[in-house]
Amino acid sequence: MNTEELIYGINPVIEVLLSGKEIEKIFLQKTLHPSKTDKIRMLATERKVPFQFVPKEKLFRITPKNHQG
């Protein structure tokens, strides 16, 4: 996975989903409250973008930045 192509943070991911840009896959932190992920899941489902719930440790392995889950 090329880290230069990663988008992280709840609002930036929502913005990209709304923009119509191509997204390969979305990783969501398992322990986030559904209210934080509802919009992402809804938009991803509408656009047929796969998403997966993962442990926060996986997100930290992908990026050291503040991924917000």
Side-chain angles (χ1 to χ4, degrees):
M1 186 175 308
N2 185 348
T3 58
E4 292 177 13
E5 297 176 357
L6 291 178
I7 298 166
Y8 47 89
I10 293 168
N11 289 324
V13 170
I14 290 171
E15 287 177 27
V16 172
L17 283 164
L18 290 171
S19 76
K21 291 182 182 176
E22 186 177 336
I23 300 173
E24 186 176 319
K25 187 171 191 176
I26 298 172
F27 294 106
L28 298 166
Q29 185 176 315
K30 276 185 189 180
T31 57
L32 281 183
H33 192 277
S35 66
K36 295 209 180 247
T37 61
D38 282 348
K39 188 162 187 174
I40 291 174
R41 291 183 298 124
M42 180 193 71
L43 291 169
T45 300
E46 285 175 6
R47 294 215 26 232
K48 297 183 173 128
V49 175
F51 60 90
Q52 178 180 358
F53 288 95
V54 297
K56 65 181 173 181
E57 294 79 18
K58 177 168 181 143
L59 297 177
F60 284 122
R61 284 194 304 271
I62 294 170
T63 180
K65 312 253 181 183
N66 181 11
H67 52 73
Q68 299 175 357

